[in-house]
């Protein structure tokens, strides 16, 4: 047999390059016609056949591609790239036996060749085939993809394959690095831009959209880019936009499986099960056992927090292909988020064993080992899992708060909660991120609720936040997600949770501040219909917090205008599968009217913030912020300038000009008394009073701050110190309780709480505080044991003896301890009146 190697004359090469360019720009019918004509004109090069097949696939003519590939393989039985393309054709046509045969042929042929004589493109095809046959990913990357690039730095397929491999293993940073190198050589290649968009999907939606725009500029019919765009639009709850993007895909390829899968998803989200079934059937027309279809539908449902429905689709995907790793790891995550822990952890471990390079599976398996050391507390419908020490110190406090939330919020919204809620608190933020998102290094979240499972970061001294407010917020999600069966837009869920924080405690939740004021008045308020998209990869942490605030503002607006019953009716409709805009209109007003009125209401709220403040901030050209004279001159013209007053304060404090700093600080408080955020005037003025020895004034200023702020830990601590010095024990207890709601693991607070309770004769409270203090390795455990022994001498004499013996073991010459021990022993030897009566 004579093997046709496919050498080309210059004219044919130019024609092929031109036709390839037409394909790259989405002119698939044109490239198909060109390939057919070239083949008819006796162009024997395999590249023409590949272009012919790829064009048929792009147009959705899968059966024709299968018919043609058989004859082509007779002509080119040893071409590895063509065999790999044949594998794709047979896979797309639901013929796994023939697809597998292609992989085995590639392996056999390559085994008989020296790699030095394998072209770079064939090297890539060989690596892809080996991956599908179960080869180690790192080996394929090193020995095939990287080798192909060493041989030919312009091997586009090697960059794309390396990027695909990294994305498949959830190593998105590596994917961006590989594809970034490709972009330097192929700056207008839609496949490269789309690969980069996929790499940035989870971390940077702005960068993702930039690359999608670039891909679609070159090829407006690029199906992978349009499908990713539709996926993004679904995430943003822009279902109409997603439908239009999918229509663009189906106009070119009427049988693209991913497009029909997302069409089925949209029908599912719209509450149209018949249409969803029909679309799913179209997605599976040519490949009935395609696991990707149900995997994609299920993954998106789970991203919408509809984990039960999502897991059902992953199970269907695994019925089609039991070894489909993406569905197995997604099902594991779904089960864990549903609280079905043992099957979830088991499946995650199985995936990690089967695919050691699967980042999510590895992370989950490692997390399982860490969580095995957690303590579990159960009470009144809650299963609380947390670090053993933290559980001993404040686990009961957390359970008490959760029980309050359940009692109040379930009654308020009419929810009958007949199952347990799982709450997991993580001392390691990376563990929280893995448990919650499947990946570490996800910042900006204090807690997350999946429906009946809450995950949260444990309180951190370095990151003050009111953990009680966090748990209350998350339990509000439990209520609304159960009422709607997890079928609600994120803005409504978050808005209600923040609203309920404020209802529970006016110092919790969020309030208007200068940053939000500026964002609203500068036009950054998101319309209600697009508000869920504001949570999706915000450009800064401030934008994420603004999304929460906007949502709470929208819920407050709805309740004020239409009443809580209207909101409850909307939740009920969502639970029945109705679309948010339809039920919102039915129970309130048309969406356009709502958006207009809400925007006006938000603007009015922003304009009403500290109305006497002059909010204008000059440019550096107008006023040099480092020049005190220039700032003073601006302030002389605009005496209520918030910007200038703050700047003046910073300059005065830097120079320790305490008396002079009082006036602008007091003015800031008079102008804007509600400002308790970072750098607020209360904290600075208190520091001034402290520097001047004006303790009474310092206390008064800090007390005002403590009333309004839920996380002013330093203020609470200082107020405890002042109150203890003045023996104002009630105030010590009040501020200790405030501090514990921010950080419950500091021994000094329990020491102050115990001492204050002792002084007030509250023995039970003092004992409780000292017992917790002992868990935290106090500086003077002898004193703590001694105090506990004194407090318990009458109510729990056995415990009292144990504590005094502990004290004497550490301090054998402790005289007061010896006296107390003797008293305890005397009391033990003296019969009680009851004992005496019994003896007679």
């Amino acid at each position: 047999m004579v093997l046709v190697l496919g050498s080309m004359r210059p004219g044919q090469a130019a024609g092929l390059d031109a036709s390839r360019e037409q394909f790259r720009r989405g002119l698939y019918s044109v490239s198909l016609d060109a390939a057919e004509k070239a083949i008819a004109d006796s162009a024997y090069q395999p590249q023409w056949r590949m272009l012919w097949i790829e064009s048929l696939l792009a147009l959705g003519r899968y059966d024709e591609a299968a018919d043609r590939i058989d004859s082509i393989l007779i002509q080119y039985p040893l071409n590895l790239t063509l065999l790999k393309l044949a594998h794709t054709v047979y896979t797309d046509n639901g013929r796994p036996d023939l697809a597998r045969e292609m992989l085995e042929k590639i392996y056999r042929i390559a085994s008989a060749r020296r790699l030095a004589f394998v072209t770079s493109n064939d090297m890539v095809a060989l690596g892809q085939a080996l991956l599908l046959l179960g080869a180690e990913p790192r080996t394929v990357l090193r020995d095939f993809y990287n080798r192909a690039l060493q041989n030919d730095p312009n091997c586009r397929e090697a960059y794309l394959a390396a990027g695909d491999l990294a994305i498949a293993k959830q190593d998105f940073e590596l994917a961006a690095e590989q594809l970034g190198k490709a972009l330097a050589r192929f700056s207008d290649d839609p496949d490269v831009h789309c690969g980069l968009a996929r790499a940035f999907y989870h971390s940077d939606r702005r960068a993702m959209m930039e690359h999608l725009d670039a891909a679609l500029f070159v090829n407006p019919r690029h199906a992978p880019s349009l499908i990713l765009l539709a996926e993004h639009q679904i995430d943003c709850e822009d279902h109409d936009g997603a439908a239009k993007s999918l229509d663009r895909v189906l106009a070119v390829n009427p049988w693209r499986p991913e497009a029909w899968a997302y069409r089925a998803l949209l029908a599912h989200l719209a509450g149209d099960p018949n249409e969803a079934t029909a679309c799913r059937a179209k997605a599976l027309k040519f490949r009935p056992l395609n696991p990707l279809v149900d995997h994609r539908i299920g993954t998106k449902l789970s991203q919408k927090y509809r984990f039960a429905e999502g897991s059902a689709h992953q199970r269907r995907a695994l019925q089609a292909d039991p070894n489909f790793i993406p569905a197995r790891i997604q099902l594991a995550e779904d089960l864990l988020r549903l609280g079905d822990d043992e099957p979830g952890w088991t499946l995650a471990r199985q995936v990690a064993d089967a695919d050691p390079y699967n980042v999510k599976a590895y992370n989950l398996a490692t997390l399982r080992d860490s969580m095995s050391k957690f303590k579990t507390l159960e009470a009144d419908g809650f299963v609380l899992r947390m670090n053993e020490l933290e559980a001993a110190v404040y686990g009961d406090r957390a359970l008490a708060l959760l029980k309050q939330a359940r009692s109040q919020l379930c009654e308020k919204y009419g929810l009958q909660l007949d199952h347990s809620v799982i709450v997991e608190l993580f001392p390691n933020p990376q563990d929280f991120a893995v448990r919650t998102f499947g990946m570490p290094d996800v910042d900006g979240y204090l807690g997350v609720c999946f429906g009946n499972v809450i995950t949260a970061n444990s309180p951190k001294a370095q990151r003050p936040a009111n953990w009680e407010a966090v748990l209350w917020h998350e339990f509000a999600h439990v209520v609304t997600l159960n009422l709607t069966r997890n079928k609600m837009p994120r803005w409504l869920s978050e808005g209600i949770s923040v609203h309920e924080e404020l209802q529970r405690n006016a110092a919790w939740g969020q309030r208007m501040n200068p940053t939000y004021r500026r964002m609203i008045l500068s036009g950054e308020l998101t319309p209600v219909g697009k508000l869920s998209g504001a949570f999706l990869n915000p450009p800064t942490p401030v934008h994420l917090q603004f999304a929460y605030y906007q949502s709470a503002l929208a819920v407050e607006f709805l309740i004020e205008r239409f009443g809580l019953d209207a909101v409850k009716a909307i939740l009920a409709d969502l639970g029945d599968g109705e679309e948010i805009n339809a039920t919102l209109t039915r129970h309130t007003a048309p969406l356009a009217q709502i958006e207009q009125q809400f925007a006006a209401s938000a603007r009015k709220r922003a304009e009403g913030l500290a109305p006497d403040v002059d909010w204008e901030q000059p440019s550096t050209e107008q006023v040099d912020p480092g020049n005190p004279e220039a700032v003073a001159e601006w302030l002389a013209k605009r005496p209520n300038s918030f910007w200038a007053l703050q700047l003046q304060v910073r300059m005065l404090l830097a120079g320790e000009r305490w008396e002079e700093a009082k006036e602008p600080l007091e003015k800031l408080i008079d102008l804007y008394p509600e400002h308790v955020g970072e750098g607020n005037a209360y904290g600075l003025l208190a520091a001034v009073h402290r520097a001047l020895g004006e303790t009474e004034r310092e206390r008064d200023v800090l007390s005002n701050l403590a009333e309004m702020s839920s996380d002013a830990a330093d203020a609470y601590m200082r107020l405890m110190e002042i109150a203890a010095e003045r023996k104002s024990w009630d105030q010590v207890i009040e501020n200790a309780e405030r501090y514990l709601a921010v950080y419950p693991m500091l021994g000094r607070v329990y020491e102050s709480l115990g001492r204050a309770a002792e002084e007030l004769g509250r023995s039970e409270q003092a004992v409780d505080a000292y017992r917790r203090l002992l868990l935290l390795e106090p500086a003077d455990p002898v004193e703590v044991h001694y105090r506990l022994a004194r407090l318990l001498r009458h109510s729990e004499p056995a415990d009292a003896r144990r504590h005094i013996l502990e004290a004497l073991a550490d301090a054998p010459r402790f005289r007061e301890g010896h006296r107390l021990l003797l008293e305890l022993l005397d009391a033990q030897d003296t019969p009680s009146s009851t004992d005496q009566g019994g003896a007679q």
Side-chain angles (χ1 to χ4, degrees):
M1 178 177 67
V2 178
L3 176 62
V4 180
L5 295 176
S7 59
M8 279 184 274
R9 295 187 295 274
Q12 292 175 334
L16 180 61
D17 288 343
S19 298
R20 270 278 165 208
E21 179 65 13
Q22 291 166 343
F23 181 90
R24 191 174 69 90
R25 293 191 174 277
L27 303 174
Y28 305 122
S29 296
V30 176
S31 63
L32 177 64
D33 291 343
E36 288 180 341
K37 185 175 185 305
I39 293 168
D41 290 343
S42 301
Y44 290 106
Q45 297 76 20
Q47 291 88 342
W48 281 113
R49 274 78 180 167
M50 293 178 202
L51 179 60
W52 187 25
I53 297 299
E54 289 169 3
S55 299
L56 287 171
L57 292 176
L59 293 167
R61 292 158 66 172
Y62 299 114
D63 46 359
E64 291 183 54
D67 291 341
R68 300 287 186 270
I69 200 72
D70 292 335
S71 59
I72 293 171
L73 290 175
I74 294 173
Q75 294 176 279
Y76 305 94
L78 304 179
N79 187 300
L80 302 187
T81 304
L82 191 51
L83 286 167
K84 180 59 184 67
L85 179 59
H87 169 268
T88 301
V89 171
Y90 291 133
T91 298
D92 288 347
N93 278 277
R95 299 167 71 177
D97 49 342
L98 289 175
R100 176 79 182 187
E101 185 181 327
M102 296 302 104
L103 299 179
E104 292 169 351
K105 278 187 178 181
I106 292 171
Y107 181 75
R108 286 198 303 272
I109 293 167
S111 298
R113 292 184 185 176
R114 292 179 59 189
L115 289 181
F117 297 103
V118 176
T119 67
S120 291
N121 282 349
D122 277 357
M123 190 83 71
V124 173
L126 174 56
Q128 291 171 323
L130 291 173
L131 275 176
L132 292 168
L133 289 170
E136 185 183 63
R138 186 180 300 169
T139 301
V140 170
L141 178 63
R142 182 191 64 225
D143 293 346
F144 296 92
Y145 299 162
N146 288 348
R147 186 166 183 168
L149 289 170
Q150 289 171 3
N151 295 338
D152 178 8
N154 287 316
C155 183
R156 166 184 172 274
E157 287 69 20
Y159 290 113
L160 293 174
D164 285 343
L165 175 57
I167 289 171
K169 302 304 175 187
Q170 298 99 36
D171 193 339
F172 302 109
E173 187 175 339
L174 177 60
E177 178 186 339
Q178 294 281 5
L179 293 164
K181 295 175 183 177
L183 190 64
R185 296 177 180 273
F186 311 101
S187 59
D188 63 346
D189 189 295
D191 290 327
V192 173
H193 279 292
C194 184
L196 279 164
R198 291 167 60 209
F200 288 121
Y201 174 84
H202 294 282
S203 61
D204 190 342
R205 290 291 174 103
R206 287 176 181 254
M208 180 199 79
M209 289 303 301
E210 288 174 4
H211 284 292
L212 284 183
D213 288 342
L216 293 170
F217 178 79
V218 177
N219 180 355
R221 308 166 89 198
H222 192 249
S225 295
L226 289 168
I227 289 166
L228 185 58
L229 175 60
E231 189 174 348
H232 170 70
Q233 290 165 324
I234 291 168
D235 294 342
C236 295
E237 296 179 6
D238 180 11
H239 295 173
D240 290 340
K244 291 175 182 176
S245 296
L246 296 173
D247 285 345
R248 290 171 63 184
V249 176
L250 296 171
V252 177
N253 178 350
W255 300 108
R256 182 85 183 197
E258 302 98 312
W260 282 116
Y262 285 143
R263 272 290 190 186
L265 172 71
L266 290 175
H268 192 108
L269 295 174
D272 190 344
N274 293 332
E275 178 65 13
T277 299
C279 291
R280 179 178 176 276
K282 290 179 180 178
L284 297 170
K285 176 179 172 61
F286 286 93
R287 187 185 173 191
L289 296 179
N290 184 355
L292 187 64
V293 171
D294 279 300
H295 171 62
R296 290 227 177 189
I297 296 171
T299 299
K300 277 289 158 224
L301 285 170
S302 295
Q303 288 173 1
K304 299 286 185 183
Y305 281 34
R306 296 167 71 161
F307 304 109
E309 298 156 88
S311 63
H313 278 279
Q314 300 306 335
R315 293 183 194 280
R316 295 179 80 172
L318 292 172
Q319 287 174 358
D321 182 354
N323 297 315
F324 189 59
I325 293 291
R328 294 177 72 191
I329 192 61
Q330 182 62 50
L331 179 58
E333 288 189 283
D334 288 344
L335 293 173
L336 291 172
R337 289 164 181 170
L338 286 166
D340 201 357
D341 288 351
E342 284 310 314
W345 291 122
T346 299
L347 189 53
R349 171 58 68 185
Q350 289 173 353
V351 174
D353 292 341
D355 182 4
Y357 295 95
N358 189 288
V359 175
K360 277 190 178 181
Y362 172 80
N363 288 337
L364 287 172
T366 303
L367 173 64
R368 175 57 170 162
D369 295 338
S370 174
M371 289 187 67
S372 65
K373 303 179 182 67
F374 275 21
K375 176 81 172 176
T376 299
L377 307 176
E378 297 188 46
D380 298 323
F382 287 99
V383 178
L384 176 60
R385 299 183 183 126
M386 55 196 302
N387 169 274
E388 189 168 2
L389 175 60
E390 293 188 356
V393 173
Y394 72 97
D396 56 345
R397 184 180 178 122
L399 280 173
L401 180 84
L402 288 165
K403 286 188 280 187
Q404 286 180 26
R406 180 173 184 144
S407 173
Q408 294 180 27
L409 295 176
C410 287
E411 180 180 356
K412 181 174 183 177
Y413 285 90
L415 174 65
Q416 184 68 38
L417 198 59
D418 54 5
H419 48 259
S420 294
V421 175
I422 296 171
V423 181
E424 296 172 347
L425 301 181
F426 294 89
N428 184 341
Q430 299 289 37
D431 286 347
F432 163 73
V434 169
R435 175 67 173 93
T436 307
F437 306 104
M439 303 291 284
D441 302 318
V442 179
D443 201 11
Y445 294 87
L446 297 173
V448 171
C449 175
F450 298 115
N452 295 314
V453 175
I454 294 171
T455 61
N457 277 302
S458 294
K460 300 288 181 293
Q462 306 85 352
R463 187 181 180 182
N466 192 300
W467 63 269
E468 293 186 344
V470 171
L471 288 186
W472 196 274
H473 176 106
E474 298 306 333
F475 189 81
H477 282 308
V478 172
V479 173
T480 55
L481 290 173
N482 271 276
L483 284 170
T484 62
R485 299 181 180 86
N486 286 43
K487 301 174 185 177
M488 66 186 305
R490 184 169 181 186
W491 72 264
L492 182 58
S493 184
E494 297 294 358
I496 290 175
S497 285
V498 176
H499 175 76
E500 288 302 334
E501 282 186 69
L502 290 164
Q503 296 300 300
R504 173 68 164 75
N505 186 327
W508 290 0
Q510 293 202 52
R511 65 194 79 189
M512 183 70 72
N513 62 39
T515 301
Y516 296 164
R517 177 189 180 277
R518 175 183 53 76
M519 294 174 82
I520 290 172
L521 296 181
S522 63
E524 293 187 54
L525 188 74
T526 306
V528 173
K530 298 180 179 179
L531 193 46
S532 290
F535 291 92
L536 197 65
N537 235 269
T540 68
V542 170
H543 283 81
L544 177 61
Q545 292 306 311
F546 186 49
Y548 283 98
Y549 178 70
Q550 290 180 86
S551 300
L553 212 55
V555 167
E556 181 183 328
F557 167 80
L558 292 174
I559 291 174
E560 286 181 353
R561 291 291 179 92
F562 306 101
L564 179 61
D565 285 343
V567 172
K568 290 164 69 174
I570 290 169
L571 296 176
D573 285 350
L574 291 171
D576 291 336
E578 289 203 39
E579 194 268 334
I580 177 60
N581 291 343
T583 183
L584 189 63
T585 298
R586 180 182 309 112
H587 296 290
T588 58
L591 181 61
Q593 182 180 330
I594 289 291
E595 290 184 336
Q596 182 181 12
Q597 292 178 355
F598 171 62
S601 173
R603 187 172 188 84
K604 183 178 179 182
R605 176 75 64 91
E607 290 170 343
L609 179 69
D612 294 331
V613 167
D614 180 347
W615 293 105
E616 184 174 344
Q617 181 171 335
S619 66
T620 53
E621 288 77 16
Q622 291 176 287
V623 180
D624 178 4
N627 185 339
E629 293 180 0
V631 174
E633 183 179 345
W634 176 269
L635 198 52
K637 296 176 183 176
R638 313 177 80 107
N640 290 352
S641 170
F642 191 72
W643 170 82
L645 285 167
Q646 286 189 312
L647 199 56
Q648 183 185 48
V649 164
R650 286 198 293 271
M651 292 176 178
L652 293 171
L653 294 180
E656 297 186 359
R657 295 156 66 182
W658 310 121
E659 282 291 348
E660 293 176 65
K662 285 183 184 179
E663 182 181 347
L665 282 168
E666 289 170 350
K667 186 166 187 176
L668 281 168
I669 291 173
D670 289 340
L671 288 170
Y672 184 8
E674 299 86 5
H675 182 42
V676 295
E678 187 176 353
N680 66 80
Y682 292 101
L684 298 176
L685 183 57
V688 166
H689 288 312
R690 186 172 187 179
L692 294 171
E694 300 169 347
T695 307
E696 292 296 328
R697 292 185 178 182
E698 178 193 2
R699 184 197 62 188
D700 292 343
V701 172
L702 289 177
S703 294
N704 289 333
L705 175 60
E707 287 290 333
M708 293 185 287
S709 174
S710 66
D711 55 12
D714 291 342
Y716 307 150
M717 180 62 75
R718 179 58 181 152
L719 285 169
M720 276 189 282
E721 294 170 358
I722 295 172
E725 290 170 3
R726 283 159 173 68
K727 302 188 185 308
S728 300
W729 303 115
D730 282 328
Q731 291 178 25
V732 172
I733 290 175
E734 179 183 25
N735 286 289
E737 292 293 341
R738 285 171 172 163
Y739 192 99
L740 294 175
V742 177
Y743 184 60
M745 296 296 290
L746 187 64
R748 286 177 57 197
V749 181
Y750 292 104
E751 185 177 6
S752 297
L753 185 58
R755 174 72 189 284
E758 257 193 288
E759 295 291 343
L760 291 171
R762 302 176 187 175
S763 298
E764 280 189 35
Q765 188 176 15
V767 167
D768 181 79
Y770 287 141
R771 281 174 169 166
R772 295 175 201 270
L773 174 59
L774 282 176
L775 297 170
L776 296 171
E777 299 182 358
D780 188 359
V782 172
E783 176 70 13
V784 181
H785 281 297
Y786 174 69
R787 288 182 175 275
L788 277 167
R790 286 197 318 179
L791 288 164
L792 295 169
R793 59 193 300 179
H794 299 302
S795 60
E796 299 178 46
D799 264 7
R801 289 193 295 273
R802 179 177 63 81
H803 280 293
I804 198 60
L805 289 172
E806 290 274 6
L808 292 172
D810 287 341
R813 298 183 179 183
F814 182 27
R815 290 185 179 181
E816 290 299 319
H818 282 290
R819 288 195 190 98
L820 181 56
L821 178 59
L822 289 173
E823 291 176 16
L824 290 169
L825 292 174
D826 287 344
Q828 182 183 10
D829 293 338
T830 303
S832 67
S833 58
T834 304
D835 292 338
Q836 291 171 351
Q840 292 174 351

